[in-house]
Amino acid sequence: MVHDCITHFTSDVIELDDTDLDQPSMKYIKQKEITLVDSDGYGLAMPQLMERWGAEIGEHFLLPGCVIRNSFCKGCVFPVDFQKFARDHNQTTITDVWGNPHNIEHIELILTQSMMKLWDSYASLEEYLSNCEKNHYTFAITKSSVEHLEHVRTMNYQFLQSYDFSDAQIDELIAPTVSEIKDILSDDYRKTILYAKGCGLNEKNISHLDSSSATALMIEPKMIDDPYVKDQLHTMIQKRIDDAKVGVLTVPANYSLVSGDPYALCQSMFGLKVTGLLKPGQVYSKYWASKGIDQIVSFRAPMTSHNNIRSLQIAHNAEMDEFYQYMTTPTIFNCWDTCADAMNGFDKDGDCVINTAFPLLVEHTKELPAIVCVQRKAPKCIPTEDDLMQSNLDSFGNAVGEVTNKITSMYEVQARFEKDSRPYRILDYRIKCGQLYQQNQIDKTKGIEAKEMPKSWHQWSSNKISDGKTSSEKKERWQNQSLTADKKPYFMQYIYPAQRIQMQEYQKKSNEKSILQFRIPLEELLAKEEKTPEEETFIRYYHEKMPLGTAPCTINKICWKLEAIFDHMKFAKPKEFDYSILKSDMEYSKDLYKKIQKLYEKYRRETSSEKKERWQNQSLAAANIPCKLFRVFWI
């Protein structure tokens, strides 16, 4: 176990701090002194060890990286021939964190102090291992990196919401997904199989097929006309369309484990000057280098602002290829920039990023300063059982997702204002602060007092103007009302079914009111070129009272484009299906026939009984009679 590799450099950052403040302060600091723990959460293993581990967990390749666990030990391990590095730099011994020297030729696994949470509570590595053995702890691999990275991946709304795309650019962004969906709609069974199975189908798993509709098509293409298979395919297609409406769009991308620069770690653990092989803004990725790509965009969830997205240069030369040769699928980050802070504080203990070379995203990603959140630490203590219980209680109800959704709602509100206007800038500040509030929620589990996002940012009732307030307070609340992100954006109805039902009911009632008041359907009223004052008022209130936000934010615009393409789509009625193709020429006995007949009759009885019970429950539900009472009485 060695000391962490730590580097020092300067960088432009945006600093957020809510210490003793109701709302965070935000400062742009030019050339701030940065201290980076580049080895935060990862260590090194000799390639032969990773090959043995791979065999032990049933893999047939040398593991490019894996996540390990043990008592108080948590982190990732990557294959690097550090013994060769030592020979090349005339090093024979390595000193551990307790000051004990070791012959490097006898070492196969290097852990860093950030991987061992209580390393300084032990006198030596031998004491730690002895305690592990005594208490029946051992090293375990919980996750390993894949042998080959995928070629396509889907984005999500968090990754895309901060971009400002034109209509033509949105068409370009959704084009691969639209083409993919239309291919499935073509009734070509081969394209259906390709979509359903994709690159996950290989020579290893083809002999262990599941009982899905796609498997049925692989066995017999005519099964595409079976009503059940048809219904399953239609459900799959509709789900894919609904997913696309919320930003689940196909792009050339892959999902990759994050590593620091192991060359820098080798330099650090042998007491050499730390330079690393990578410069600021560079990463090494064997996948993208082999494709001749020199620029990618990298994302990591959860995300709040465009500052979380990194545009990265792919570095590639003979020295890197040799030293990183066994790390075939991880993304290796340099140790001289603020990528870790920018991407919501990632470390290297198993965190992953999505990388893409999609030209539209590469061209429109802005290079912005990293957001650095001032963090507080909980005081150290010897934990009691009560402390452990409190830690568990604090971890319940983690609201990271809730904070992220509030930020997404702010993008919809921001789209109502002109760029660079005061309201637009206020919302930009609040969106950036979302990263601090996300990290506050994570810190709650560590026993750190965490402040929540101000309610006035997302609750309209907190900005309600009431008597007893001063004129300045009333003015502030009046201004805040137009900035309050109290509605989910329109596209989120395809994530939350309850929101969709609410939206449909609202539109249905509004349509009825339009017909009663103006004698025309709502759709026709909205399309009218010349409207009366009464009609203008009706339409204004229709938009204001809508349960979801309909401002033209990026994901709403993507959603509307896909609705226009697919919402009027009609699935063809199933053709007559010849079930005789399912029969075989195998002879069977009368005894077997009778056994199957009994099973069939039992199935008929049970399905008939289930239908009857459902019908009765529906009748009671319609009459507002509790179904539980009915079941008791029925028994």
Side-chain angles (χ1 to χ4, degrees):
M1 189 185 307
V2 299
H3 288 289
D4 279 312
C5 173
I6 299 175
T7 59
H8 304 276
F9 54 90
T10 60
S11 181
D12 297 347
V13 300
I14 293 172
E15 185 180 85
L16 294 174
D17 186 4
D18 65 350
T19 306
D20 301 324
L21 296 170
D22 294 331
Q23 296 188 14
S25 66
M26 186 170 76
K27 301 175 187 174
Y28 174 71
I29 304 176
K30 197 166 181 61
Q31 295 302 298
K32 178 181 172 65
E33 293 284 341
I34 304 292
T35 298
L36 174 68
V37 182
D38 184 59
S39 61
D40 189 8
Y42 87 94
L44 306 175
M46 288 296 291
Q48 62 265 26
L49 176 62
M50 294 294 271
E51 192 168 24
R52 292 203 308 272
W53 280 358
E56 287 177 15
I57 64 172
E59 298 290 4
H60 62 283
F61 57 89
L62 189 155
L63 299 179
C66 63
V67 178
I68 65 170
R69 294 289 188 270
N70 197 6
S71 177
F72 302 117
C73 178
K74 169 180 177 283
C76 213
V77 173
F78 297 102
V80 167
D81 192 345
F82 51 79
Q83 292 179 357
K84 181 179 183 303
F85 178 93
R87 290 193 296 271
D88 291 345
H89 292 81
N90 300 315
Q91 302 290 321
T92 58
T93 61
I94 185 169
T95 303
D96 65 23
V97 290
W98 294 280
N100 303 315
H102 302 268
N103 185 335
I104 192 61
E105 295 294 330
H106 298 163
I107 305 296
E108 281 191 307
L109 179 63
I110 299 286
L111 304 180
T112 54
Q113 64 189 86
S114 58
M115 298 176 70
M116 185 72 71
K117 302 308 173 187
L118 295 177
W119 71 270
D120 53 357
S121 297
Y122 298 92
S124 66
L125 183 63
E126 289 72 21
E127 183 187 359
Y128 168 74
L129 293 174
S130 174
N131 275 281
C132 287
E133 186 175 3
K134 187 188 305 180
N135 292 282
H136 310 293
Y137 284 98
T138 185
F139 285 100
I141 292 175
T142 58
K143 180 173 71 173
S144 64
S145 186
V146 293
E147 182 180 15
H148 302 291
L149 295 175
E150 66 268 68
H151 302 303
V152 294
R153 191 90 189 177
T154 53
M155 305 300 283
N156 66 46
Y157 67 87
Q158 289 183 34
F159 300 160
L160 300 173
Q161 63 191 2
S162 65
Y163 287 92
D164 184 19
F165 294 130
S166 65
D167 284 346
Q169 288 163 349
I170 288 177
D171 288 337
E172 182 183 346
L173 179 64
I174 68 175
T177 305
V178 171
S179 177
E180 174 188 278
I181 294 171
K182 287 183 175 178
D183 278 348
I184 314 169
L185 288 167
S186 68
D187 268 354
D188 184 334
Y189 78 93
R190 293 166 299 182
K191 291 177 178 177
T192 302
I193 292 170
L194 181 63
Y195 171 74
K197 296 294 185 180
C199 60
L201 193 65
N202 55 49
E203 67 277 2
K204 284 181 65 179
N205 60 32
I206 195 168
S207 58
H208 303 286
L209 295 172
D210 55 29
S211 56
S212 66
S213 300
T215 300
L217 290 177
M218 291 173 66
I219 297 169
E220 174 51 69
K222 291 180 183 178
M223 287 298 293
I224 200 164
D225 292 324
D226 175 75
Y228 176 78
V229 171
K230 202 75 155 178
D231 183 61
Q232 293 293 303
L233 295 178
H234 289 171
T235 301
M236 177 185 72
I237 293 167
Q238 189 59 61
K239 184 179 186 309
R240 182 66 189 95
I241 292 170
D242 288 349
D243 285 346
K245 291 173 182 175
V246 300
V248 182
L249 303 174
T250 302
V251 296
N254 50 51
Y255 195 58
S256 174
L257 266 177
V258 168
S259 169
D261 186 349
Y263 194 90
L265 177 54
C266 283
Q267 290 174 318
S268 171
M269 67 194 197
F270 286 110
L272 306 175
K273 181 182 178 181
V274 176
T275 62
L277 294 180
L278 298 164
K279 297 177 181 177
Q282 292 183 340
V283 294
Y284 182 87
S285 168
K286 187 171 184 178
Y287 175 91
W288 295 109
S290 67
K291 291 184 171 295
I293 299 295
D294 57 10
Q295 198 78 19
I296 61 170
V297 180
S298 192
F299 306 86
R300 176 177 174 265
M303 271 186 53
T304 52
S305 70
H306 204 82
N307 301 68
N308 300 141
I309 306 170
R310 294 290 94 177
S311 179
L312 303 169
Q313 180 187 349
I314 300 296
H316 172 56
N317 59 38
E319 185 179 13
M320 294 177 189
D321 289 344
E322 181 184 2
F323 189 80
Y324 303 139
Q325 62 179 299
Y326 305 106
M327 296 174 64
T328 53
T329 55
T331 301
I332 303 172
F333 282 78
N334 72 81
C335 58
W336 300 110
D337 67 23
T338 55
C339 266
D341 281 316
M343 302 181 79
N344 236 318
F346 74 62
D347 50 27
K348 291 92 176 182
D349 63 358
D351 287 358
C352 296
V353 291
I354 288 183
N355 300 323
T356 179
F358 193 61
L360 180 72
L361 296 174
V362 171
E363 292 164 11
H364 290 86
T365 298
K366 303 170 189 173
E367 294 194 21
L368 299 175
I371 295 175
V372 177
C373 302
V374 175
Q375 298 291 297
R376 294 176 293 278
K377 291 186 177 181
K380 288 187 176 182
C381 68
I382 298 175
T384 64
E385 188 172 342
D386 287 344
D387 293 324
L388 296 173
M389 188 180 298
Q390 188 59 49
S391 177
N392 285 334
L393 290 172
D394 290 340
S395 65
F396 288 137
N398 185 301
V400 172
E402 186 180 330
V403 170
T404 306
N405 279 351
K406 288 169 183 173
I407 298 302
T408 296
S409 296
M410 289 178 190
Y411 277 104
E412 186 273 331
V413 177
Q414 191 182 46
R416 304 173 195 171
F417 302 101
E418 291 291 328
K419 284 186 180 178
D420 296 325
S421 64
R422 185 172 181 274
Y424 190 96
R425 292 197 304 271
I426 290 173
L427 285 161
D428 183 64
Y429 155 76
R430 293 180 181 181
I431 287 167
K432 285 181 170 63
C433 288
Q435 183 171 330
L436 175 63
Y437 289 117
Q438 281 179 337
Q439 293 188 11
N440 281 355
Q441 291 300 320
I442 295 169
D443 287 343
K444 281 174 66 177
T445 309
K446 304 172 185 177
I448 299 171
E449 184 180 350
K451 294 182 180 179
E452 296 185 353
M453 183 183 291
K455 291 183 179 179
S456 60
W457 292 8
H458 58 87
Q459 284 186 6
W460 193 89
S461 59
S462 297
N463 296 310
K464 189 175 180 181
I465 300 171
S466 57
D467 294 334
K469 300 291 181 183
T470 65
S471 58
S472 61
E473 287 175 328
K474 288 180 179 180
K475 183 180 179 181
E476 183 183 355
R477 291 197 171 200
W478 178 80
Q479 290 173 332
N480 263 335
Q481 284 179 359
S482 62
L483 305 178
T484 307
D486 60 339
K487 293 180 183 179
K488 287 183 172 65
Y490 176 89
F491 75 87
M492 280 197 169
Q493 65 180 293
Y494 295 103
I495 300 176
Y496 300 103
Q499 295 287 334
R500 193 170 186 179
I501 292 169
Q502 187 181 5
M503 189 70 173
Q504 288 169 344
E505 283 295 316
Y506 178 78
Q507 290 172 326
K508 179 184 175 183
K509 289 179 180 179
S510 297
N511 184 60
E512 290 170 354
K513 289 178 182 177
S514 176
I515 293 171
L516 284 172
Q517 193 167 341
F518 305 111
R519 302 292 187 268
I520 56 173
L522 179 62
E523 187 176 357
E524 191 176 329
L525 177 65
L526 294 171
K528 275 185 71 174
E529 291 186 7
E530 295 185 8
K531 302 180 181 71
T532 66
E534 291 80 7
E535 289 171 337
E536 293 280 6
T537 301
F538 181 90
I539 291 170
R540 187 176 77 251
Y541 278 109
Y542 166 71
H543 287 298
E544 286 180 1
K545 300 296 182 182
M546 196 168 283
L548 297 174
T550 57
C553 61
T554 296
I555 311 300
N556 272 354
K557 291 197 288 185
I558 289 171
C559 182
W560 295 330
K561 287 265 188 184
L562 290 160
E563 284 182 337
I565 295 170
F566 293 113
D567 272 13
H568 301 293
M569 170 190 67
K570 299 291 183 184
F571 290 115
K573 291 184 179 180
K575 302 173 186 176
E576 282 293 324
F577 182 62
D578 181 10
Y579 287 98
S580 64
I581 68 169
L582 301 176
K583 296 180 180 179
S584 69
D585 296 328
M586 185 181 292
E587 294 290 334
Y588 54 88
S589 64
K590 285 188 177 181
D591 184 53
L592 181 60
Y593 174 85
K594 288 178 181 178
K595 287 180 180 178
I596 294 174
Q597 186 180 34
K598 285 182 179 179
L599 285 173
Y600 176 65
E601 288 171 354
K602 181 182 178 183
Y603 164 78
R604 290 280 302 273
R605 287 194 305 271
E606 288 180 354
T607 53
S608 176
S609 175
E610 184 182 350
K611 286 179 182 177
K612 183 178 179 181
E613 183 178 354
R614 284 187 180 181
W615 177 84
Q616 289 168 330
N617 284 344
Q618 286 172 358
S619 301
L620 291 171
N624 293 321
I625 299 174
C627 292
K628 287 183 179 178
L629 292 178
F630 169 78
R631 290 196 183 98
V632 172
F633 179 74
W634 185 258
I635 290 167

